């Protein structure tokens, strides 16, 4: 057997090679661990109307989990009038969900219904049915699916099980904000407002428990058009609140299912309107904005004068059906902007 003895110089070269290979391997393992950690699922930011979850502060995409549960419950539609609402997480509208572009969104849907199949069509999802086919859950079952948030924007979600119009009209809807990289311009207050229609057998104002009318829904003749699932949700103690000079943002969605909203706040000019949920190139100095069924807009403004401001659908007779709310603004008077002369 022949043995070759390595020279000191060769030994030094081999040692350096081993050190480099080991270092690269360790760095690769560390990066892999960081990637794995970044993909560990955490809960998505959610809140219920009119509240909005806080802005996302992380600078990288993550894996987030959204838990939705479908239930049915009688609740107040207007004073003295109740309705059998179909709900996500016990509220109409369902939770406001806040994620970031590039996030992987893992959705868990639990169907607590005893006799109906339910699902979710997310308008932010790129793929068949907005995810509805893979989230379809039979009574008493749970479905789970993952989706990539590819585009920033403000998006509707709603049930898409058959018959889809009935599932939408009875309360199964909400909003998802997919923040762009770097987020949106900061504001002082954010609110979640969603318009929708209810088709009851009884005429508007008829007291008692009201059943859903598929006949009126097909004819597109709602008895109620409301904000946040109730005629008085944004009135009285439910009024939105701000102070003079604060920057205010409303995330406004229109479920429909049939009517276009002409959203307006009396006495406010919107500084920025991100129309139809797109978060680039906002329109400026807008008085009223059209929001189609299944659409959304982001509205920024800054009240300059104290007082009560009325939110409404400027198809004005809809106010009599419930499409009205209040923003109460406190602060010092501004006689240089607004005053009575005589």
């Amino acid at each position: 057997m022949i043995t070759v003895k390595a020279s000191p110089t060769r030994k030094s070269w081999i040692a350096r090679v081993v050190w480099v290979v080991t270092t690269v391997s360790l760095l690769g393992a560390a990066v892999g661990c960081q990637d794995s950690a970044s993909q560990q699922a955490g809960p998505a930011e959610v809140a219920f109307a009119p509240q909005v979850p806080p802005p996302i502060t992380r600078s990288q995409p993550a894996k987030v989990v959204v838990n939705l549960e479908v239930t049915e419950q009688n609740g107040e539609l207007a004073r003295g009038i109740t309705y059998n609402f179909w709900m996500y997480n016990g509220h109409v509208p369902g939770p406001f969900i806040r994620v970031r572009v590039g996030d992987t969104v893992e959705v868990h849907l639990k169907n607590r219904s005893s006799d109906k199949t339910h699902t979710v069509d997310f308008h932010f999802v790129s793929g068949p049915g907005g995810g509805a086919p893979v989230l379809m859950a039979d009574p008493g079952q749970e479905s789970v699916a993952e989706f990539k948030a590819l585009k920033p924007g403000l998006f509707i979600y709603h049930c898409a099980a058959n018959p889809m119009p009935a599932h939408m009209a009875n309360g199964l809807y909400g909003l998802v904000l997919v923040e762009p990289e770097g987020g949106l311009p900061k504001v002082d207050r954010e609110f979640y407002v969603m318009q929708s229609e209810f088709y009851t057998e009884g005429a508007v104002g008829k007291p008692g428990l009201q059943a859903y009318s598929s006949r009126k829904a097909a004819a597109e003749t709602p008895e109620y058009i409301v904000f946040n699932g109730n005629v008085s949700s944004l009135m009285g103690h439910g009024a939105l609140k701000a102070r003079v000079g604060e920057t205010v943002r409303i995330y406004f969605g229109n479920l429909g299912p049939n009517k276009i909203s002409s959203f307006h706040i009396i006495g406010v000019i919107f500084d920025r309107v991100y129309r139809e949920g797109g978060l680039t190139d906002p329109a400026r100095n807008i008085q009223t904005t059209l929001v189609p069924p299944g659409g959304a807009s982001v509205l920024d403004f800054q009240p300059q004068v104290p007082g009560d401001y009325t939110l409404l659908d400027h198809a004005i007779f809809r106010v009599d059906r419930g499409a009205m709310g209040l923003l109460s603004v406190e602060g010092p008077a501004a006689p240089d902007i607004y005053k009575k002369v005589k």
Side-chain angles (χ1 to χ4, degrees):
M1 183 174 65
I2 300 174
T3 302
V4 179
K5 192 172 182 179
S7 68
T9 302
R10 182 176 175 81
K11 285 182 178 179
S12 176
W13 179 81
I14 292 172
R16 285 198 297 271
V17 170
V18 170
W19 180 85
V20 170
V21 171
T22 303
T23 302
V24 170
S25 298
L26 290 172
L27 287 173
V31 171
C33 288
Q34 289 177 352
D35 288 343
S36 176
S38 69
Q39 287 300 305
Q40 289 180 355
E45 297 285 350
V46 301
F48 294 104
Q51 304 306 315
V52 175
I56 292 171
T57 57
R58 53 185 164 82
S59 59
Q60 297 296 323
K63 184 174 183 179
V64 297
V65 177
V66 174
N67 292 297
L68 294 176
E69 182 176 277
V70 179
T71 57
E72 297 178 24
Q73 183 178 330
N74 289 349
E76 184 182 83
L77 178 58
R79 182 175 298 180
I81 301 162
T82 56
Y83 188 82
N84 183 242
F85 293 99
W86 303 359
M87 305 174 172
Y88 288 123
N89 294 18
H91 290 75
V92 176
F96 187 105
I97 303 166
R98 195 166 195 156
V99 301
R100 181 192 182 279
V101 68
D103 282 355
T104 298
V105 184
E106 180 180 300
V107 180
H108 294 245
L109 177 67
K110 294 181 180 178
N111 182 4
R112 300 300 189 191
S113 173
S114 62
D115 60 355
K116 300 177 188 69
T117 296
H118 291 293
T119 187
V120 192
D121 169 2
F122 288 104
H123 287 196
F124 83 90
V125 168
S126 299
V134 293
L135 278 172
M136 203 71 68
D138 290 329
Q141 300 299 307
E142 178 180 1
S143 59
V144 182
E146 283 187 3
F147 311 105
K148 193 84 164 182
L150 298 178
K151 305 285 187 181
L154 181 63
F155 300 96
I156 295 277
Y157 67 88
H158 59 81
C159 190
N162 287 324
M164 184 169 64
H167 286 245
M168 294 169 63
N170 280 307
L172 289 170
Y173 44 82
L175 289 179
V176 178
L177 175 65
V178 181
E179 287 193 8
E181 293 182 8
L184 289 167
K186 292 183 178 179
V187 293
D188 296 309
R189 296 179 187 265
E190 295 184 315
F191 298 108
Y192 170 23
V193 179
M194 198 157 185
Q195 180 170 321
S196 61
E197 304 142 25
F198 288 91
Y199 297 84
T200 58
E201 287 289 355
V204 61
K206 184 176 181 179
L209 177 63
Q210 293 299 314
Y212 166 69
S213 171
S214 59
R215 174 180 53 82
K216 291 180 181 179
E220 302 186 11
T221 54
E223 295 295 339
Y224 297 89
I225 302 175
V226 304
F227 296 143
N228 291 350
N230 186 291
V231 165
S232 58
S233 66
L234 300 180
M235 305 292 285
H237 294 299
L240 308 180
K241 300 187 185 303
R243 293 192 59 81
V244 167
E246 288 185 326
T247 48
V248 179
R249 174 172 294 146
I250 292 179
Y251 297 101
F252 183 82
N254 179 22
L255 181 279
N258 289 317
K259 303 297 185 182
I260 294 171
S261 174
S262 302
F263 186 70
H264 177 78
I265 302 178
I266 300 175
V268 164
I269 300 169
F270 299 123
D271 297 314
R272 291 187 297 265
V273 175
Y274 299 87
R275 285 179 164 149
E276 299 188 17
L279 298 182
T280 56
D281 301 323
R284 296 182 181 273
N285 304 327
I286 302 299
Q287 58 187 317
T288 301
T289 190
L290 294 176
V291 185
S297 286
V298 182
L299 315 165
D300 291 357
F301 59 96
Q302 187 177 40
Q304 302 295 324
V305 179
D308 289 336
Y309 293 76
T310 303
L311 290 69
L312 51 78
D313 183 336
H314 217 299
I316 204 69
F317 281 97
R318 295 178 185 176
V319 168
D320 296 335
R321 298 187 181 276
M324 186 170 68
L326 287 179
L327 168 68
S328 180
V329 176
E330 296 182 347
D336 57 325
I337 297 175
Y338 181 101
K339 66 181 178 183
K340 180 178 175 63
V341 176
K342 184 178 179 180

